[in-house]
Amino acid sequence: MSEKRKVQIVPPEEFGELKMVPPKDKAVGMPAVISTMKHISKEMGIWKGLKLLNKMNQKDGFDCPGCAWPDPDGKRSGLGEYCENGAKAIAEEATDRRVNPAFFEKYSVEEMSQWTDYKIGKSGRLTDPMYLAKGSSHYVPISWEEAFQKIADKLKSLDSPEEAVFYTSGRTSNEAAYLYQLMVRQFGTNNLPDCSNMCHESSGSGLSQTVGIGKGSVTLDDLHEAELIVVMGQNPGTNHPRMLSALEKCKNNGGKIISVNPVPETGNNVFVDPQNPMALLKGGTTLTDLFLQVRINGDVALLKAIMLLMLEAEEKAPGTVFDHDFINEYTAGYDAFMAELKQANLQEAIEQSGVEEKQIRKAADLFIQRKKIIICWAMGLTQHENGVDNIKEIVNILLLKGSIGKKGAGTCPVRGHSNVQGDRTMGIWEKPKDGFLDNLDSHFGIKTPRHHGYDAVDSIKACYENKVKFFLCLGGNFISATPDSQLTGEALQNCDMTVQVSTKLNRSHLVTGEEAIILPCLARSDKDNQKTGFQFVSVENSMGIVHKSRGSLEPFSDKLKSEPAIISGIAHALFGSDLINWAEMADNYDTIRDHIEATISGFDNYNKRVRDPKGFYLPNGARERKFGTPDGKAHFTPIALPNRQVKEGRLIMMTIRTHDQYNTTIYGMNDRYRGIMGERRVVLMNKKDMKEHGLKNQDVVNLISEFRGEERRANKFKVISYDIAKGCIGTYFPEANVLVPIDSVAKGSNTPVSKFVEVRLEKM
Ligand SMILES: Nc1nc2c(c(=O)[nH]1)N[C@H]1C(S)=C(S)[C@@H](COP(=O)(O)OP(=O)(O)OC[C@H]3O[C@@H](n4cnc5c(=O)[nH]c(N)nc54)[C@H](O)[C@@H]3O)O[C@H]1N2
Ligand SMILES: Nc1nc2c(c(=O)[nH]1)N[C@H]1C(S)=C(S)[C@@H](COP(=O)(O)OP(=O)(O)OC[C@H]3O[C@@H](n4cnc5c(=O)[nH]c(N)nc54)[C@H](O)[C@@H]3O)O[C@H]1N2
Ligand code: SF4
Ligand SMILES: [Mo]
């Protein structure tokens, strides 16, 4: 093997200019409008920006490349259907800055890798296909045909298709995702890891086992009608800002909201709707009625305590708390679950949750009194060793209340990437079902492989063990998004060839295999012109609505290709077009949709229905109480108290997002709602813990994670006194990813445990 390039795998340990201001008590409002304007004017000028924003999330426009929160089914607001972070996402994508061949000539790969992720990302949009030859220090331009041929030649040279891995990030459209998985399966592997493996995999796993569908059951209207919404392990003000409008509607209809979080996130408190002049004047709506400050991973204990109190009330007045009709008709496993619950100790559960008893009693009262309940959650629940159990415990409490499959009630895993849910529906999964593969085989006349492939974590391990030689990423930033950065970096460097299909420069273009290729693609907001004319794509949001998305910006270079065209190009170079007509599909996306209709259920009349401006809902059994489990019932699951402790003097670290980033893309340096400005290398810490550790504000510490006798280190973080549950600390992703051990994963979903890292601090 030749010498590896000496690139920097983790972000540099350098400080910015930290300024601290009091955390915000109100979300959105005028400051969000001002921040929106600042970002778009910086990246592309105010007029181009406003024109573009006018098209975002409108029925004839393009889908926001931010999160997967749905748009209203009915009329869209003329003032704009977007939020501050949606505007930042579009400013980032439609930026006027360019990373062109001259840029790559100027900077070596090693030099760029010394930059912060912020600086790398701000370099701009990729303009040309680029090639990094074995042993060379700089990328050079390559033609599309040559790039496709190199990839095909490499793939053909492998000893087995298992030596190739194909990652997907959740921005990819349905059409591109479908083509991609088809190409990978024709090639002969199910090695299709995706960002979902690191995200809502625990939700998918927990929900499919209990209610028979890995997706949530609610619609936007259900949120408006709910009597109680619980927001657990989620920071909607930053990560799903338009969810605040739905929560506000619920409040206006008399609903109550409980927030469960180790920190009081601003968006969970007061929401000021920028489109409502009265709200701007009067100061908005208080969203959270009850804030439960759990310890990190205290959620099962909290839910258990609430259920014990519900049981107490039910025993006093039978039939008033639990929905026995629902339980009898639609569920299984009640007795075993009850037996487990009855032997749990209330005080122990309260103690483990970290929440005060009187607060828990208030929460229990709300559960006791109300019948239409929705629980929303995100990464605070899934990225735990017991992430799958967290979800099953949520299902348990909803089942007790019959709060699933009726109006105003249900499960609401709030998805991350704008089409992460659609990608799974299209077959991006390392564990495909046989029925789906059978459909591909009979429709296309191919023989798909049946053994399961590598997920994200297993792909890293396979690279590390030199079992993988080729790694292609359709979007995303694999090196910065994955755990155990140092190990992952070495693993990727073991590959012969790494290929990135991307819009913007990121660290994954710099931490590469021996050879590397960058394929620059059109973004959501770009017009997509193919042989048969302008194309649109389709996406599925967090609530299972499929709708179209059509870009409106003239592409800035004729060198860019769409994702479907890129996949078709690689596939054509690899297989020719005799068996599957790859070229035809890239020329006209209607043909791709016809194939989807023929092989995936729920897509009847796809081409017609997707042209309906509202889009269409995919079938969802749980929504209709038709549970897709083997016995057709919704399942209770007995779950023991986890009781996870850390060693004396150690802290539990969660890695979270700031208000100024999209996963590994750093929009800016300000975590405005938390009042932490100009710096990302910070540790949010409870003031009692600071005292115990002899620390004061802005002291510099090193973080050492301890796991099964192994140590991992991230140096130079500034301590910040913050209102966070005692014994817990918060750091930002991706700076702290180096501390997340590769073997620390959720049972049953293999999701990296990014929210529970045992660490000790070392004062510098
Ligand atoms: N602007 C913006 N929008 C985004 C993203 C982004 O980076 N930027 N990312 C997108 C993606 S891919 C995703 S998956 C989502 C992520 O959306 P979130 O899940 O909201 O993102 P995180 O920052 O990981 O926040 C997790 C929240 O859980 C809390 N938490 C941590 N541990 C626990 C715990 O043990 N229990 C409880 N109850 N709470 C806990 C944290 O304090 C934090 O508020 O957002 C999507 N939208
Ligand atoms: N420690 C820690 N790690 C985490 C998490 C955490 O909370 N803590 N969260 C996890 C989660 S929830 C997720 S989803 C993953 C995210 O993992 P990824 O999805 O891999 O990462 P992103 O940062 O979203 O990817 C950004 C890159 O995508 C490319 N891109 C943007 N738009 C497009 C497009 O339209 N097409 C193409 N081809 N490329 C595009 C750009 O080049 C950009 O640099 O990270 C995970 N990692
Ligand atoms: S809530 Fe999500 S999808 Fe909607 S505009 Fe904001 S970032 Fe985009
Ligand atoms: Mo995610």
Side-chain angles (χ1 to χ4, degrees), residues 513-540:
E514 282 183 339
E515 288 178 281
I517 295 177
I518 298 176
L519 303 174
C521 66
L522 294 173
R524 279 277 171 81
S525 46
D526 293 325
K527 279 186 186 163
D528 182 355
N529 195 6
Q530 303 294 339
K531 261 199 189 131
T532 59
F534 286 105
Q535 308 293 314
F536 65 86
V537 292
S538 47
V539 290
E540 175 185 340

PDB file of all heavy atoms in Angstrom, residues 513-540:
ATOM      1  N   GLY A 513      -9.514   7.911  -0.060  1.00  0.00           N
ATOM      2  CA  GLY A 513      -8.757   6.713  -0.403  1.00  0.00           C
ATOM      3  C   GLY A 513      -7.532   7.117  -1.221  1.00  0.00           C
ATOM      4  O   GLY A 513      -7.264   8.309  -1.427  1.00  0.00           O
ATOM      5  N   GLU A 514      -6.807   6.100  -1.734  1.00  0.00           N
ATOM      6  CA  GLU A 514      -5.606   6.408  -2.533  1.00  0.00           C
ATOM      7  C   GLU A 514      -5.946   7.321  -3.700  1.00  0.00           C
ATOM      8  O   GLU A 514      -5.269   8.293  -3.981  1.00  0.00           O
ATOM      9  CB  GLU A 514      -5.004   5.105  -3.072  1.00  0.00           C
ATOM     10  CG  GLU A 514      -4.214   4.354  -2.043  1.00  0.00           C
ATOM     11  CD  GLU A 514      -3.571   3.101  -2.620  1.00  0.00           C
ATOM     12  OE1 GLU A 514      -4.043   2.603  -3.664  1.00  0.00           O
ATOM     13  OE2 GLU A 514      -2.594   2.635  -2.023  1.00  0.00           O
ATOM     14  N   GLU A 515      -7.012   6.954  -4.414  1.00  0.00           N
ATOM     15  CA  GLU A 515      -7.520   7.809  -5.497  1.00  0.00           C
ATOM     16  C   GLU A 515      -8.853   8.373  -5.033  1.00  0.00           C
ATOM     17  O   GLU A 515      -9.583   7.700  -4.302  1.00  0.00           O
ATOM     18  CB  GLU A 515      -7.849   6.982  -6.735  1.00  0.00           C
ATOM     19  CG  GLU A 515      -6.716   6.427  -7.521  1.00  0.00           C
ATOM     20  CD  GLU A 515      -7.301   5.604  -8.683  1.00  0.00           C
ATOM     21  OE1 GLU A 515      -7.721   4.463  -8.462  1.00  0.00           O
ATOM     22  OE2 GLU A 515      -7.341   6.135  -9.808  1.00  0.00           O
ATOM     23  N   ALA A 516      -9.183   9.571  -5.510  1.00  0.00           N
ATOM     24  CA  ALA A 516     -10.494  10.117  -5.130  1.00  0.00           C
ATOM     25  C   ALA A 516     -11.094  10.887  -6.298  1.00  0.00           C
ATOM     26  O   ALA A 516     -10.363  11.435  -7.143  1.00  0.00           O
ATOM     27  CB  ALA A 516     -10.353  11.033  -3.922  1.00  0.00           C
ATOM     28  N   ILE A 517     -12.416  10.880  -6.336  1.00  0.00           N
ATOM     29  CA  ILE A 517     -13.124  11.595  -7.401  1.00  0.00           C
ATOM     30  C   ILE A 517     -14.231  12.439  -6.774  1.00  0.00           C
ATOM     31  O   ILE A 517     -14.915  11.984  -5.857  1.00  0.00           O
ATOM     32  CB  ILE A 517     -13.730  10.595  -8.422  1.00  0.00           C
ATOM     33  CG1 ILE A 517     -12.598   9.853  -9.148  1.00  0.00           C
ATOM     34  CG2 ILE A 517     -14.639  11.295  -9.427  1.00  0.00           C
ATOM     35  CD1 ILE A 517     -13.058   8.799 -10.131  1.00  0.00           C
ATOM     36  N   ILE A 518     -14.367  13.667  -7.259  1.00  0.00           N
ATOM     37  CA  ILE A 518     -15.487  14.517  -6.841  1.00  0.00           C
ATOM     38  C   ILE A 518     -16.392  14.719  -8.041  1.00  0.00           C
ATOM     39  O   ILE A 518     -15.933  15.138  -9.106  1.00  0.00           O
ATOM     40  CB  ILE A 518     -14.992  15.904  -6.354  1.00  0.00           C
ATOM     41  CG1 ILE A 518     -14.076  15.769  -5.140  1.00  0.00           C
ATOM     42  CG2 ILE A 518     -16.183  16.810  -6.031  1.00  0.00           C
ATOM     43  CD1 ILE A 518     -13.476  17.096  -4.662  1.00  0.00           C
ATOM     44  N   LEU A 519     -17.677  14.428  -7.881  1.00  0.00           N
ATOM     45  CA  LEU A 519     -18.644  14.633  -8.951  1.00  0.00           C
ATOM     46  C   LEU A 519     -19.626  15.723  -8.518  1.00  0.00           C
ATOM     47  O   LEU A 519     -20.424  15.506  -7.603  1.00  0.00           O
ATOM     48  CB  LEU A 519     -19.377  13.319  -9.255  1.00  0.00           C
ATOM     49  CG  LEU A 519     -18.464  12.140  -9.640  1.00  0.00           C
ATOM     50  CD1 LEU A 519     -19.263  10.850  -9.787  1.00  0.00           C
ATOM     51  CD2 LEU A 519     -17.702  12.443 -10.934  1.00  0.00           C
ATOM     52  N   PRO A 520     -19.564  16.906  -9.138  1.00  0.00           N
ATOM     53  CA  PRO A 520     -20.392  18.018  -8.677  1.00  0.00           C
ATOM     54  C   PRO A 520     -21.817  17.900  -9.214  1.00  0.00           C
ATOM     55  O   PRO A 520     -22.009  17.663 -10.407  1.00  0.00           O
ATOM     56  CB  PRO A 520     -19.702  19.232  -9.292  1.00  0.00           C
ATOM     57  CG  PRO A 520     -19.105  18.707 -10.562  1.00  0.00           C
ATOM     58  CD  PRO A 520     -18.736  17.268 -10.314  1.00  0.00           C
ATOM     59  N   CYS A 521     -22.803  18.068  -8.332  1.00  0.00           N
ATOM     60  CA  CYS A 521     -24.178  17.851  -8.806  1.00  0.00           C
ATOM     61  C   CYS A 521     -25.046  19.096  -8.633  1.00  0.00           C
ATOM     62  O   CYS A 521     -24.706  20.014  -7.894  1.00  0.00           O
ATOM     63  CB  CYS A 521     -24.795  16.658  -8.099  1.00  0.00           C
ATOM     64  SG  CYS A 521     -25.030  16.897  -6.352  1.00  0.00           S
ATOM     65  N   LEU A 522     -26.152  19.083  -9.351  1.00  0.00           N
ATOM     66  CA  LEU A 522     -27.163  20.124  -9.206  1.00  0.00           C
ATOM     67  C   LEU A 522     -27.741  20.030  -7.809  1.00  0.00           C
ATOM     68  O   LEU A 522     -27.813  18.949  -7.233  1.00  0.00           O
ATOM     69  CB  LEU A 522     -28.303  19.900 -10.205  1.00  0.00           C
ATOM     70  CG  LEU A 522     -27.986  20.039 -11.687  1.00  0.00           C
ATOM     71  CD1 LEU A 522     -29.202  19.618 -12.511  1.00  0.00           C
ATOM     72  CD2 LEU A 522     -27.613  21.490 -12.013  1.00  0.00           C
ATOM     73  N   ALA A 523     -28.208  21.163  -7.280  1.00  0.00           N
ATOM     74  CA  ALA A 523     -28.849  21.163  -5.971  1.00  0.00           C
ATOM     75  C   ALA A 523     -30.365  21.295  -6.173  1.00  0.00           C
ATOM     76  O   ALA A 523     -30.834  21.533  -7.282  1.00  0.00           O
ATOM     77  CB  ALA A 523     -28.309  22.318  -5.137  1.00  0.00           C
ATOM     78  N   ARG A 524     -31.095  21.148  -5.076  1.00  0.00           N
ATOM     79  CA  ARG A 524     -32.563  21.236  -5.103  1.00  0.00           C
ATOM     80  C   ARG A 524     -33.082  22.475  -5.836  1.00  0.00           C
ATOM     81  O   ARG A 524     -34.069  22.431  -6.552  1.00  0.00           O
ATOM     82  CB  ARG A 524     -33.097  21.360  -3.670  1.00  0.00           C
ATOM     83  CG  ARG A 524     -33.221  20.121  -2.916  1.00  0.00           C
ATOM     84  CD  ARG A 524     -34.517  19.401  -3.247  1.00  0.00           C
ATOM     85  NE  ARG A 524     -34.457  18.089  -2.614  1.00  0.00           N
ATOM     86  CZ  ARG A 524     -34.738  17.904  -1.328  1.00  0.00           C
ATOM     87  NH1 ARG A 524     -35.158  18.917  -0.582  1.00  0.00           N
ATOM     88  NH2 ARG A 524     -34.629  16.711  -0.804  1.00  0.00           N
ATOM     89  N   SER A 525     -32.403  23.601  -5.588  1.00  0.00           N
ATOM     90  CA  SER A 525     -32.924  24.865  -6.111  1.00  0.00           C
ATOM     91  C   SER A 525     -32.541  25.082  -7.577  1.00  0.00           C
ATOM     92  O   SER A 525     -33.007  26.029  -8.206  1.00  0.00           O
ATOM     93  CB  SER A 525     -32.391  26.023  -5.262  1.00  0.00           C
ATOM     94  OG  SER A 525     -31.005  25.865  -5.046  1.00  0.00           O
ATOM     95  N   ASP A 526     -31.689  24.207  -8.149  1.00  0.00           N
ATOM     96  CA  ASP A 526     -31.263  24.378  -9.544  1.00  0.00           C
ATOM     97  C   ASP A 526     -32.265  23.775 -10.525  1.00  0.00           C
ATOM     98  O   ASP A 526     -32.851  22.721 -10.258  1.00  0.00           O
ATOM     99  CB  ASP A 526     -29.908  23.678  -9.772  1.00  0.00           C
ATOM    100  CG  ASP A 526     -28.778  24.339  -9.021  1.00  0.00           C
ATOM    101  OD1 ASP A 526     -28.816  25.581  -8.891  1.00  0.00           O
ATOM    102  OD2 ASP A 526     -27.861  23.630  -8.557  1.00  0.00           O
ATOM    103  N   LYS A 527     -32.407  24.428 -11.671  1.00  0.00           N
ATOM    104  CA  LYS A 527     -33.214  23.861 -12.757  1.00  0.00           C
ATOM    105  C   LYS A 527     -32.523  22.616 -13.281  1.00  0.00           C
ATOM    106  O   LYS A 527     -31.295  22.598 -13.415  1.00  0.00           O
ATOM    107  CB  LYS A 527     -33.317  24.861 -13.905  1.00  0.00           C
ATOM    108  CG  LYS A 527     -34.358  25.922 -13.706  1.00  0.00           C
ATOM    109  CD  LYS A 527     -34.476  26.763 -14.980  1.00  0.00           C
ATOM    110  CE  LYS A 527     -35.406  27.925 -14.744  1.00  0.00           C
ATOM    111  NZ  LYS A 527     -35.261  28.967 -15.760  1.00  0.00           N
ATOM    112  N   ASP A 528     -33.306  21.619 -13.637  1.00  0.00           N
ATOM    113  CA  ASP A 528     -32.735  20.352 -14.093  1.00  0.00           C
ATOM    114  C   ASP A 528     -33.236  20.065 -15.507  1.00  0.00           C
ATOM    115  O   ASP A 528     -34.362  19.621 -15.702  1.00  0.00           O
ATOM    116  CB  ASP A 528     -33.168  19.252 -13.111  1.00  0.00           C
ATOM    117  CG  ASP A 528     -32.578  17.902 -13.460  1.00  0.00           C
ATOM    118  OD1 ASP A 528     -31.915  17.784 -14.512  1.00  0.00           O
ATOM    119  OD2 ASP A 528     -32.784  16.954 -12.667  1.00  0.00           O
ATOM    120  N   ASN A 529     -32.379  20.354 -16.480  1.00  0.00           N
ATOM    121  CA  ASN A 529     -32.779  20.202 -17.878  1.00  0.00           C
ATOM    122  C   ASN A 529     -32.140  18.946 -18.468  1.00  0.00           C
ATOM    123  O   ASN A 529     -30.925  18.832 -18.500  1.00  0.00           O
ATOM    124  CB  ASN A 529     -32.331  21.456 -18.654  1.00  0.00           C
ATOM    125  CG  ASN A 529     -33.017  21.555 -19.995  1.00  0.00           C
ATOM    126  OD1 ASN A 529     -33.907  20.754 -20.304  1.00  0.00           O
ATOM    127  ND2 ASN A 529     -32.620  22.532 -20.798  1.00  0.00           N
ATOM    128  N   GLN A 530     -32.964  18.014 -18.910  1.00  0.00           N
ATOM    129  CA  GLN A 530     -32.449  16.786 -19.541  1.00  0.00           C
ATOM    130  C   GLN A 530     -32.946  16.720 -20.981  1.00  0.00           C
ATOM    131  O   GLN A 530     -33.655  17.614 -21.438  1.00  0.00           O
ATOM    132  CB  GLN A 530     -32.900  15.551 -18.745  1.00  0.00           C
ATOM    133  CG  GLN A 530     -32.469  15.571 -17.276  1.00  0.00           C
ATOM    134  CD  GLN A 530     -30.960  15.487 -17.076  1.00  0.00           C
ATOM    135  OE1 GLN A 530     -30.230  15.037 -17.962  1.00  0.00           O
ATOM    136  NE2 GLN A 530     -30.473  15.972 -15.936  1.00  0.00           N
ATOM    137  N   LYS A 531     -32.606  15.626 -21.662  1.00  0.00           N
ATOM    138  CA  LYS A 531     -32.927  15.510 -23.088  1.00  0.00           C
ATOM    139  C   LYS A 531     -34.391  15.792 -23.418  1.00  0.00           C
ATOM    140  O   LYS A 531     -34.705  16.404 -24.425  1.00  0.00           O
ATOM    141  CB  LYS A 531     -32.570  14.105 -23.579  1.00  0.00           C
ATOM    142  CG  LYS A 531     -31.246  14.058 -24.294  1.00  0.00           C
ATOM    143  CD  LYS A 531     -31.146  12.812 -25.155  1.00  0.00           C
ATOM    144  CE  LYS A 531     -29.729  12.702 -25.679  1.00  0.00           C
ATOM    145  NZ  LYS A 531     -29.181  11.375 -25.480  1.00  0.00           N
ATOM    146  N   THR A 532     -35.293  15.314 -22.548  1.00  0.00           N
ATOM    147  CA  THR A 532     -36.720  15.500 -22.852  1.00  0.00           C
ATOM    148  C   THR A 532     -37.286  16.788 -22.243  1.00  0.00           C
ATOM    149  O   THR A 532     -38.490  16.985 -22.232  1.00  0.00           O
ATOM    150  CB  THR A 532     -37.550  14.316 -22.330  1.00  0.00           C
ATOM    151  OG1 THR A 532     -37.330  14.231 -20.917  1.00  0.00           O
ATOM    152  CG2 THR A 532     -37.162  13.015 -22.997  1.00  0.00           C
ATOM    153  N   GLY A 533     -36.420  17.642 -21.709  1.00  0.00           N
ATOM    154  CA  GLY A 533     -36.896  18.913 -21.163  1.00  0.00           C
ATOM    155  C   GLY A 533     -36.658  19.018 -19.664  1.00  0.00           C
ATOM    156  O   GLY A 533     -35.949  18.191 -19.071  1.00  0.00           O
ATOM    157  N   PHE A 534     -37.279  20.043 -19.052  1.00  0.00           N
ATOM    158  CA  PHE A 534     -37.065  20.285 -17.620  1.00  0.00           C
ATOM    159  C   PHE A 534     -37.707  19.193 -16.779  1.00  0.00           C
ATOM    160  O   PHE A 534     -38.838  18.782 -17.041  1.00  0.00           O
ATOM    161  CB  PHE A 534     -37.604  21.652 -17.220  1.00  0.00           C
ATOM    162  CG  PHE A 534     -36.723  22.762 -17.718  1.00  0.00           C
ATOM    163  CD1 PHE A 534     -37.105  23.546 -18.797  1.00  0.00           C
ATOM    164  CD2 PHE A 534     -35.484  22.989 -17.127  1.00  0.00           C
ATOM    165  CE1 PHE A 534     -36.268  24.544 -19.270  1.00  0.00           C
ATOM    166  CE2 PHE A 534     -34.644  23.986 -17.600  1.00  0.00           C
ATOM    167  CZ  PHE A 534     -35.032  24.764 -18.671  1.00  0.00           C
ATOM    168  N   GLN A 535     -36.985  18.732 -15.790  1.00  0.00           N
ATOM    169  CA  GLN A 535     -37.453  17.638 -14.943  1.00  0.00           C
ATOM    170  C   GLN A 535     -37.762  18.155 -13.545  1.00  0.00           C
ATOM    171  O   GLN A 535     -37.192  19.141 -13.104  1.00  0.00           O
ATOM    172  CB  GLN A 535     -36.367  16.559 -14.826  1.00  0.00           C
ATOM    173  CG  GLN A 535     -35.816  16.069 -16.134  1.00  0.00           C
ATOM    174  CD  GLN A 535     -36.842  15.295 -16.942  1.00  0.00           C
ATOM    175  OE1 GLN A 535     -37.533  14.433 -16.412  1.00  0.00           O
ATOM    176  NE2 GLN A 535     -36.962  15.624 -18.228  1.00  0.00           N
ATOM    177  N   PHE A 536     -38.649  17.443 -12.877  1.00  0.00           N
ATOM    178  CA  PHE A 536     -38.810  17.673 -11.438  1.00  0.00           C
ATOM    179  C   PHE A 536     -38.493  16.365 -10.732  1.00  0.00           C
ATOM    180  O   PHE A 536     -38.461  15.305 -11.366  1.00  0.00           O
ATOM    181  CB  PHE A 536     -40.222  18.168 -11.109  1.00  0.00           C
ATOM    182  CG  PHE A 536     -41.307  17.175 -11.391  1.00  0.00           C
ATOM    183  CD1 PHE A 536     -41.654  16.216 -10.445  1.00  0.00           C
ATOM    184  CD2 PHE A 536     -42.002  17.190 -12.603  1.00  0.00           C
ATOM    185  CE1 PHE A 536     -42.649  15.286 -10.709  1.00  0.00           C
ATOM    186  CE2 PHE A 536     -42.993  16.265 -12.873  1.00  0.00           C
ATOM    187  CZ  PHE A 536     -43.316  15.303 -11.916  1.00  0.00           C
ATOM    188  N   VAL A 537     -38.253  16.437  -9.437  1.00  0.00           N
ATOM    189  CA  VAL A 537     -38.056  15.211  -8.659  1.00  0.00           C
ATOM    190  C   VAL A 537     -39.141  15.159  -7.587  1.00  0.00           C
ATOM    191  O   VAL A 537     -39.953  16.084  -7.479  1.00  0.00           O
ATOM    192  CB  VAL A 537     -36.656  15.156  -7.995  1.00  0.00           C
ATOM    193  CG1 VAL A 537     -35.571  14.999  -9.035  1.00  0.00           C
ATOM    194  CG2 VAL A 537     -36.423  16.370  -7.110  1.00  0.00           C
ATOM    195  N   SER A 538     -39.159  14.091  -6.803  1.00  0.00           N
ATOM    196  CA  SER A 538     -40.137  14.044  -5.720  1.00  0.00           C
ATOM    197  C   SER A 538     -39.474  13.614  -4.424  1.00  0.00           C
ATOM    198  O   SER A 538     -38.418  12.967  -4.425  1.00  0.00           O
ATOM    199  CB  SER A 538     -41.307  13.130  -6.087  1.00  0.00           C
ATOM    200  OG  SER A 538     -40.831  11.920  -6.606  1.00  0.00           O
ATOM    201  N   VAL A 539     -40.105  14.010  -3.340  1.00  0.00           N
ATOM    202  CA  VAL A 539     -39.575  13.730  -2.000  1.00  0.00           C
ATOM    203  C   VAL A 539     -40.732  13.350  -1.076  1.00  0.00           C
ATOM    204  O   VAL A 539     -41.880  13.653  -1.367  1.00  0.00           O
ATOM    205  CB  VAL A 539     -38.855  14.969  -1.407  1.00  0.00           C
ATOM    206  CG1 VAL A 539     -37.553  15.255  -2.115  1.00  0.00           C
ATOM    207  CG2 VAL A 539     -39.753  16.207  -1.437  1.00  0.00           C
ATOM    208  N   GLU A 540     -40.368  12.713   0.045  1.00  0.00           N
ATOM    209  CA  GLU A 540     -41.380  12.330   1.044  1.00  0.00           C
ATOM    210  C   GLU A 540     -41.018  13.010   2.361  1.00  0.00           C
ATOM    211  O   GLU A 540     -39.883  12.899   2.815  1.00  0.00           O
ATOM    212  CB  GLU A 540     -41.370  10.800   1.222  1.00  0.00           C
ATOM    213  CG  GLU A 540     -42.290  10.297   2.318  1.00  0.00           C
ATOM    214  CD  GLU A 540     -42.164   8.776   2.541  1.00  0.00           C
ATOM    215  OE1 GLU A 540     -41.676   8.057   1.634  1.00  0.00           O
ATOM    216  OE2 GLU A 540     -42.535   8.325   3.635  1.00  0.00           O
TER     217      GLU A 540
END
